[in-house]
Amino acid sequence: MKNIIISILTFLAISTTSFAQTADVVFDKYIEATGGKALWDGVSTYSMKQTYRGNSAADYDMDIKGSFDDAALYKAKTIMKRTFIYGIRGTEGWLKVPLGSSDKATQYETKGLSEKEQQNMRRELKEIVLPFLDYQDKGYIATLVDTETLNDTKVSQVELSGNGIKYNLYFDEATGLLVRKKFTLPTKEVITEDYSKYSDSAYGIKYPSESTYQSSVDKRVIKLTTSFVFNDKIGAEFFSR
């Protein structure tokens, strides 16, 4: 009888732990590990710079600026010394295409973005910072898939899906930090990022600063370096058509 009671109590303890671990618990652990809810709730703007390096002519740089209050996002992609600028603010969206040679002052032709392209950028505004930021408001469903071992690290996998796209997010169970992000686009292209280093921003939030990036389309492994500045003052010209 004593052994039966012990077995029942052990089963109940395991079941309680299993049910207590949800996708939101995993997300909250990441929030705490990277600075805490108060800091994250205080973010209103951000600037991010990224370099994509794979030792090829396709290497490029990204300069991104976002403002939650203005519902505005600026993305500048520089490849082969030519910079293409994408922007949204409120209900407007545009693309600025560089004209002429790269050895002269750049002139731009401005075109309107389609509604679908604007919707993608509005989604990216917060997902660039955190894929699961306000995820329920955007119509996503978060599901705790399982625990597994990834590169000798025990991780919790959470699937975030909706609107024709899917994220598979892998969090280190010990630290709470995100170690891998798999992003499946409506085209079925899968982009995988493996994070190897986190850095502290001046604002106090910790973010992934070094990673590898790979697309299922071209299969090249690219080294990605990222830097963030939170709550910086962004000039109005960045969000102007």
Side-chain angles (χ1 to χ4, degrees):
M1 177 64 70
K2 182 179 179 180
N3 289 338
I4 293 175
I5 293 174
I6 292 173
S7 297
I8 292 173
L9 291 174
T10 301
F11 172 77
L12 289 174
I14 292 172
S15 299
T16 301
T17 302
S18 176
F19 284 118
Q21 178 80 335
T22 65
D24 286 332
V25 169
V26 176
F27 292 160
D28 289 344
K29 188 173 181 179
Y30 179 89
I31 293 293
E32 289 305 311
T34 54
K37 188 175 185 300
L39 280 182
W40 279 107
D41 286 347
V43 173
S44 59
T45 67
Y46 64 87
S47 292
M48 181 177 74
K49 291 185 181 295
Q50 291 184 309
T51 61
Y52 292 75
R53 296 292 181 266
N55 297 318
S56 77
D59 288 352
Y60 63 93
D61 297 328
M62 289 289 292
D63 184 9
I64 299 175
K65 300 181 185 297
S67 171
F68 298 154
D69 294 340
D70 296 322
L73 181 65
Y74 164 95
K75 295 173 64 178
K77 179 177 181 179
T78 301
I79 182 169
M80 300 180 70
K81 299 182 180 180
R82 292 168 62 81
T83 301
F84 298 79
I85 299 172
Y86 299 79
I88 58 164
R89 179 171 181 150
T91 58
E92 282 193 289
W94 58 88
L95 165 63
K96 296 182 179 181
V97 180
L99 302 175
S101 60
S102 60
D103 60 345
K104 296 180 180 179
T106 305
Q107 302 273 331
Y108 284 96
E109 177 185 3
T110 302
K111 304 177 180 180
L113 289 179
S114 69
E115 185 56 37
K116 184 176 181 179
E117 291 170 320
Q118 291 184 48
Q119 288 176 359
N120 284 337
M121 288 192 67
R122 292 187 188 103
R123 172 184 57 77
E124 288 179 317
L125 175 59
K126 289 189 175 181
E127 291 179 22
I128 285 172
V129 182
L130 276 185
F132 50 87
L133 195 59
D134 297 334
Y135 74 89
Q136 292 172 318
D137 294 340
K138 293 179 290 188
Y140 288 138
I141 296 173
T143 306
L144 181 62
V145 178
D146 204 352
T147 59
E148 58 188 271
T149 300
L150 179 65
N151 298 327
D152 297 324
T153 299
K154 192 175 181 181
V155 299
S156 297
Q157 182 192 163
V158 176
E159 181 178 289
L160 192 66
S161 61
N163 307 308
I165 64 177
K166 181 176 70 173
Y167 289 93
N168 289 92
L169 307 169
Y170 301 78
F171 297 84
D172 186 322
E173 289 201 339
T175 65
L177 297 177
L178 186 65
V179 295
R180 171 176 288 179
K181 178 180 73 177
K182 293 180 70 174
F183 179 38
T184 304
L185 285 75
T187 59
K188 305 305 179 185
E189 178 185 4
V190 180
I191 296 172
T192 302
E193 283 188 53
D194 284 306
Y195 304 112
S196 56
K197 180 181 177 181
Y198 276 74
S199 295
D200 294 310
S201 66
Y203 175 65
I205 284 179
K206 187 187 297 289
Y207 64 89
S209 55
E210 292 182 10
S211 59
T212 57
Y213 172 101
Q214 187 174 26
S215 165
S216 60
V217 175
D218 61 21
K219 304 185 185 304
R220 292 188 307 122
V221 177
I222 296 172
K223 182 178 179 180
L224 175 58
T225 302
T226 303
S227 65
F228 262 106
V229 177
F230 293 97
N231 285 349
D232 53 330
K233 186 175 181 180
I234 301 174
E237 67 273 14
F238 288 102
F239 300 138
S240 173
R241 179 167 179 159

